[in-house]
Amino acid sequence: MTSATARIVLGVAGGVAAYKAADVLRRLVESGHDVTVVPTESALKFVGAPTWAALSHHPVSSEVWTDAHDVPHVALGRGADLVVVVPATADLLAKAAHGLADDLLTNTLLTARCPVLFAPAMHTEMWEHPATQANVATLRARGVIVLEPAIGRLTGADTGKGRLPDPGEIALLAQTLLAAPDAFPPDLVGRHVLITAGGTREPLDPVRFLGNRSTGLQGYALASVAAARGAQVTLIAANVSLPAPAGTAVIAVETALQMRDAVLATIEAGVDIVVMAAAVADFRPVDAAQYKIKKTGDPSRGPAPIELVTNPDILAELVTLRRSSAQPSAPVIVGFAAETGDADADPLEHGRAKLIRKGCDLLVVNAVGNGKAFGTPDNAAVILSADGPARDVPLGPKTVLAAAVWDEAVRRISVPPRP
Ligand code: CTP
């Protein structure tokens, strides 16, 4: 089955964030999926049935008595390729954990045999309550994917953990489960992972910088998938304008030197896997001018040259640090290399030489240029390893490549999980 023909049940529980489920619905329908919306009675108090029916092009029901001759409570769950619940309230999580079935959505959850994804939203106290945490643990132990809520503004004037994850991220993770149902095993529970994303900017003056085309999509996909697999995630983001993936701690940086400092400080705290997905500038201007650089008066003299100095190689530094540490096999270190072929070698040959030169455990090599990789939702890559065969990941969502990277990295962890 291709993901474009999938049958999805979108469950909507009764929380204010129900209106954001309409955005998730639009994204899934626009991707070509056949989506049936099953709101709870209380969800319909927030967003009415006509909205769901118009956006999904399907009739909408909350209870099992409509069209009873079709036995909808069994048919919907059995026929689904994926069930996504947005928002998953504390009440809905409790019902799902205990197998209650008093409406169409909870019945569907019991009959579904496909992957199930819950995107919770509630107030911080409700999320942190031991009852909710126990229900989430029960569901996760059954193989259900329960995302961590995002941190931010809640319904009242308060701020904290409990916001619905970004609708774009929910839709992306749903699509990932359709393309790769095993993308989120709980194998990063008790692990702290560090990911760098985006591209550094090296200032020339207060308004100009030397930069690159990286958007951070691949690094953010790695973070999103790691969190869904249960990891504690620190995401060091250089100049990325994407919403923070749910369940991750984002440290924003601008330059290579700031990234280096943030990486080294995080490593100090203990990290199991480092993935350096960021495009780090190799050089920076010796001095950033204090004032905006002006055109020179005489055009025949041309612009003043920009003097550059080499930036530290953070990845190579991590490898050196690890070698001299008490635990020379931890953390697992993964590099990324965006390569173009040239007169001397193809992208993969450049990648193999770089893996040896950098001394990391894995190097994810992707061919770039001609619009490939930068800013696109898809990526193709070869994961080269220092100790085994290469793994080819064909063109597909960046989250699916991320899952393959975590598969390979987890297998190389040599220390026990954190308590
Ligand atoms: N990297 C780094 N610090 C740098 C440059 C790169 O940590 N100053 C990391 C990147 O995050 C990536 C890997 O090294 O994981 C490979 O980056 P790349 O730019 O391809 O490597 P370079 O050593 O700069 O090689 P090239 O000469 O091809 O630019």
Side-chain angles (χ1 to χ4, degrees), residues 199-202 210-212 256 278-284 309-312:
T200 64
R201 289 179 181 173
E202 311 302 322
L210 295 180
N212 58 68
V280 186
D282 291 325
F283 307 101
R284 67 178 183 278
V309 61
T310 304
N311 270 328

Side-chain angles (χ1 to χ4, degrees), residues 132-337:
T132 305
Q133 287 302 304
N135 292 330
V136 169
T138 300
L139 290 165
R140 285 180 176 158
R142 285 189 202 132
V144 172
I145 312 300
V146 184
L147 301 181
E148 287 291 308
I151 296 168
R153 183 79 189 264
L154 302 173
T155 310
D158 45 348
T159 295
K161 188 166 187 174
R163 256 175 91 85
L164 186 77
D166 180 70
E169 187 187 7
I170 298 170
L172 180 66
L173 293 176
Q175 312 253 36
T176 308
L177 275 174
L178 291 169
D182 299 325
F184 311 134
D187 56 359
L188 287 173
V189 174
R191 301 296 184 184
H192 181 196
V193 304
L194 163 60
I195 300 150
T196 64
T200 64
R201 289 179 181 173
E202 311 302 322
L204 281 162
D205 67 17
V207 292
R208 303 183 182 93
F209 56 83
L210 295 180
N212 58 68
R213 294 180 194 278
S214 177
T215 57
L217 276 172
Q218 185 62 66
Y220 273 50
L222 281 154
S224 206
V225 172
R229 287 167 85 136
Q232 177 196 343
V233 180
T234 302
L235 177 56
I236 298 176
N239 312 297
V240 180
S241 55
L242 298 168
T248 65
V250 181
I251 301 172
V253 297
E254 186 185 356
T255 65
L257 291 180
Q258 289 168 1
M259 178 170 279
R260 173 182 176 272
D261 289 349
V263 167
L264 295 181
T266 308
I267 288 284
E268 284 270 300
V271 166
D272 298 290
I273 304 172
V274 185
V275 182
M276 292 287 298
V280 186
D282 291 325
F283 307 101
R284 67 178 183 278
V286 171
D287 283 312
Q290 194 183 353
Y291 302 108
K292 188 179 169 201
I293 301 166
K294 297 287 184 197
K295 262 191 297 228
T296 49
D298 176 4
S300 67
R301 280 174 48 210
I306 298 166
E307 209 185 322
L308 299 175
V309 61
T310 304
N311 270 328
D313 186 326
I314 308 168
L315 183 68
E317 209 171 329
L318 288 178
V319 171
T320 308
L321 252 179
R322 183 178 69 172
R323 262 192 213 122
S324 59
S325 76
Q327 243 167 5
S329 58
V332 175
I333 301 175
V334 184
F336 263 70

